[in-house]
Structures are given as structure tokens and as C-alpha cells.
Amino acid sequence: MSVEKVAVVTAGGSGMGAAAAKRLAADGFKVAILSSSGKGEALAKELGGLGVTGSNQSNDDLQRLADLTLERFGRIDVLVNSAGHGPRAPILEITDEQWHTGMDVYLLNVIRPVRIVAPQMVKQKAGAIVNISTAWAFEPSPMFPTSAVFRAGLAAYTKIFADKYAPDNVRMNNVLPGWIDSLPATEERRDSVPMRRYGKSEEIAATIAFLASEGAGYITGQNIRVDGGLIRSV
């Protein structure tokens, strides 16, 4: 008898998080979605899953999401960590408070749910965690200073986690989107991409779904760019 797999998506009410939830549901996962807007609850209902209105900046909300998911489905196989938008300003004008907000939005948004969900995956001896990062994590852009700084930290966190929990068959990888259609489009940004177009949220979702699948069972600790060739490394 096959086991029904379960995916948890944080900040999944819209954009790439919502696209990931839809794709995973289409692939046969039961989905549990957290969002602060209430859109996640509506989407989860549409997908036959579980929705919680709350913040990924709240340990209590994340614990409630995990508890309700385990109560209803009995397991958590995949965790997808999405994020909102952090502060943007010229680098010397960013206040201490804004840096702390950026850390909450772009780094602790992963650390908090992983701390809650990973022990269950270790217990199952199976699990995949996929974090939505940014194409500018290693080639930082002044347009997104708090994102670039803390997602570089996320890459380090991911490597440490992957090394520690690989023996338990619990994997963690980051997806690094470039200009995606959930963002406002400009000709200048489009022309900066070798493929001369914005990526689709569904393309990010497909990459997430692959990393969550058994076909990616030997991939962990990686940062995978999905950016139309915008940033290339040797």
C-alpha cells in the first residue's frame, strides 16, 4: 500500500509559493499552506488540503501549522519555504530595524519552520526541504540588499543542514529565481536576461517539485539558479 505524501508550503498564498502548492497538489501531494493574507486557506480548500492563516515570523503559527498537518495527514514529506518582501534602500541608509526585518523575512523564515518540521522528517528517515532564495544570493544587487545578504547566509545554513542530516535521508536545497512574472515587468530587466523573457512562477514550481521528488533523491545542499541564464558561474 503506497503512502500518501504531504507537502507544507509557507508564505504560499500567492506568487511562487502558491504556484508550488498547486504543482505539488497536481503531483499527488496533500498540501498544507500557511499565509498571512488568508489566500492560503482559500487555495488549500480549493486543492483539498489544509490552510492556516498566520505568519512565518511566528513560531506559534508555524507550530500550529505543523501540528494540524500531522494531526490530519500523519506525516510531512516536503517543506517549501517561500518569503515575502524585505526592506530595500541604499545600503548605508538601511537602519538596524530594517536589517533585523530583512533577517526575519529572508533567513529566519527558513530557520523557524525547519526547526519545527525537520525532527519529524528525521523520525520518518525521509524528507525534502526546498527554500525559495534569489538569483542574486552570490552576485548581490544593490536593488535587493537585505535579500542578497541574508540569502547568502541561507546558502551557508543550507550546507550545514545538508551535511548534518543527509545520513537521515533528509535533504535541503535552494531554488534561486531570477526575474519572475510575479514581479512587475520592465523592458530593461527583460533585456538583461539571455532568454529575453521573464520566468514563469510555474517554472519555479516545476523545479521545486523536481527537488521534492524521488528523482532528486541524490541532490542536497545545492543552490539551483532558475534565471534564464542571467547569472552564470564556472
Side-chain angles (χ1 to χ4, degrees):
M1 180 175 166
S2 62
V3 175
E4 194 168 56
K5 297 242 176 140
V6 180
V8 170
V9 182
T10 66
S14 60
M16 292 179 279
K22 291 174 185 175
R23 174 58 187 262
L24 289 165
D27 286 353
F29 285 84
K30 291 295 184 183
V31 293
I33 304 171
L34 177 79
S35 81
S36 58
S37 66
K39 291 179 181 177
E41 278 201 60
L43 178 59
K45 185 175 181 181
E46 177 187 323
L47 298 174
L50 166 71
V52 170
T53 297
S55 171
N56 61 4
Q57 296 182 35
S58 165
N59 284 306
D60 289 343
D61 289 348
L62 288 163
Q63 188 66 60
R64 181 159 58 97
L65 173 70
D67 290 345
L68 289 171
T69 302
L70 290 171
E71 181 182 323
R72 179 160 171 182
F73 300 121
R75 59 187 295 116
I76 298 173
D77 299 280
V78 172
L79 170 63
V80 178
N81 290 307
S82 187
H85 299 286
R88 293 170 56 185
I91 194 161
L92 293 184
E93 297 176 18
I94 302 171
T95 65
D96 285 4
E97 183 180 4
Q98 288 174 318
W99 281 115
H100 283 290
T101 298
M103 183 169 67
D104 270 336
V105 171
Y106 296 124
L107 180 59
L108 288 172
N109 75 302
V110 170
I111 291 173
R112 289 189 188 100
V114 168
R115 193 165 48 210
I116 291 168
V117 170
Q120 174 65 27
M121 293 179 168
V122 171
K123 183 179 175 183
Q124 295 167 182
K125 291 294 179 184
I129 300 169
V130 185
N131 307 314
I132 300 177
S133 180
T134 177
W136 295 275
F138 304 106
E139 295 291 338
S141 166
M143 285 186 290
F144 309 110
T146 59
S147 169
V149 167
F150 290 113
R151 282 164 160 168
L154 175 60
Y157 174 86
T158 296
K159 180 60 176 171
I160 293 168
F161 180 95
D163 287 351
K164 171 69 175 174
Y165 291 104
D168 297 297
N169 196 32
V170 179
R171 303 180 293 108
M172 180 184 286
N173 293 288
N174 298 325
V175 173
L176 280 56
W179 296 118
I180 303 301
D181 61 7
S182 58
L183 297 167
T186 70
E187 278 193 40
E188 182 183 5
R189 291 174 181 177
R190 186 182 294 109
D191 290 346
S192 72
V193 180
M195 294 189 76
R196 295 295 189 270
R197 68 174 177 87
Y198 272 54
K200 300 173 184 176
S201 295
E202 290 79 11
E203 290 171 316
I204 302 301
T207 305
I208 291 168
F210 168 67
L211 290 171
S213 73
E214 292 181 5
Y218 204 48
I219 301 174
T220 192
Q222 305 303 311
N223 295 278
I224 298 175
R225 293 189 179 98
V226 189
D227 64 1
L230 180 65
I231 296 171
R232 299 176 296 281
S233 59
V234 178

